[in-house]
Amino acid sequence: MELEHSYDDTLEALGSALDLKTPRRKDIASGHRVCISIARSMPVPDTYLPILARAAFLHDIGKMAIPDGILRKPGP
């Protein structure tokens, strides 16, 4: 349990860094909600939901390394 708490603290710190890069943090939060909503509709056992939420968050943190010109380019 202590390891999970430490892991969540690390994710929170990375999320703070992400806030500095993009002011669109609310989009990230909605991404988490969509991920969990899809998982519940499948249905995925509740024990997996925190893992999926972390995975969705890590996906967004991974975008920090991608230049803004690529992330925000117009069109497909």
Side-chain angles (χ1 to χ4, degrees):
M1 190 58 97
E2 190 174 323
L3 181 61
E4 280 188 38
H5 182 66
S6 176
Y7 186 69
D8 289 338
D9 287 345
T10 301
L11 289 179
E12 185 68 30
L14 289 169
S16 296
L18 186 60
D19 283 341
L20 296 174
K21 180 171 172 98
T22 177
R24 298 176 354 163
R25 180 74 185 257
K26 64 180 177 259
D27 295 344
I28 293 168
S30 68
H32 285 94
R33 285 191 296 275
V34 169
C35 177
I36 297 303
S37 177
I38 290 170
R40 285 188 172 140
S41 72
M42 291 180 69
V44 170
D46 286 346
T47 55
Y48 288 105
L49 297 180
I51 297 165
L52 288 171
R54 287 181 186 133
F57 192 66
L58 285 171
H59 171 266
D60 292 323
I61 288 172
K63 293 179 183 176
M64 287 174 53
I66 300 172
D68 288 341
I70 294 173
L71 285 176
R72 298 180 182 168
K73 73 175 182 127

